[in-house]
Amino acid sequence: MSDEPFMREALLLAQQAEEVGEVPIGAVVVKNGIIVGRGYNRPISACDPTAHAEVIAMRNAAAELGNYRLLDCELFVTLEPCSMCAGAIMHARVKRVVFGAADPKAGACGSVIDLFADGRLNHHSSLVGGVLAVECGNCLSEFFRQRR
């Protein structure tokens, strides 16, 4: 199955984040081709610095699956994960991470650092970047353009 339909779901969640005044980032967790977790950025509204889209989607998936280990799961997110999210992804043992736009300021999947390439760490998700990158990047660029 193509990665694009799942990234489009993540983009819809990013729009929900924007509607409530959050930076528009969305994420879904997929297992066996089925979405088992959804999340969008909520650090402002939740007063929680850890309420990134990826973390919320993984919390949702863990509750749905009844396991904090998200074995054989894939995470689709509109923006390259930061180091906090990359750490959570590793701890959850997510098999594969697919992201849209690169993050040249905080990306931990190759843009600033690549935590998944560090052999000293005990889990290494496979990474795919650039899926619907233009749409994902435009979503963020437009959000920040309107704020200026």
Side-chain angles (χ1 to χ4, degrees):
M1 177 174 230
S2 168
D3 292 336
E4 288 188 12
F6 295 120
M7 190 61 72
R8 291 204 185 283
E9 285 294 319
L11 275 166
L12 290 173
L13 290 161
Q15 290 174 349
Q16 289 182 32
E18 183 173 14
E19 289 168 8
V20 296
E22 299 278 2
V23 175
I25 300 169
V28 296
V29 175
V30 175
K31 184 167 185 169
N32 299 325
I34 298 168
I35 295 175
V36 294
R38 299 174 191 273
Y40 59 83
N41 242 26
R42 294 190 53 227
I44 298 166
S45 58
C47 295
D48 179 357
T50 70
H52 288 196
E54 302 94 318
V55 171
I56 293 170
M58 288 189 293
R59 286 175 181 160
N60 188 250
E64 175 70 22
L65 298 171
N67 192 343
Y68 76 104
R69 299 278 192 196
L70 300 177
L71 303 172
D72 298 319
C73 288
E74 300 171 293
L75 174 72
F76 293 79
V77 60
T78 57
L79 182 67
E80 178 182 359
C82 69
S83 58
M84 176 188 71
C85 292
I89 290 164
M90 288 181 209
H91 284 290
R93 305 294 194 265
V94 171
K95 181 178 182 176
R96 183 169 174 256
V97 177
V98 180
F99 63 90
D103 185 350
K105 293 183 179 180
C109 299
S111 289
V112 176
I113 58 173
D114 188 349
L115 288 177
F116 295 97
D118 191 325
R120 297 170 294 177
L121 299 171
N122 67 340
H123 179 74
H124 301 92
S125 303
S126 66
L127 300 174
V128 176
V131 175
L132 300 180
V134 172
E135 292 93 327
C136 293
N138 286 345
C139 180
L140 288 158
S141 296
E142 182 62 21
F143 173 80
F144 288 113
R145 188 187 66 72
Q146 290 178 10
R147 295 270 190 225
R148 291 184 192 122

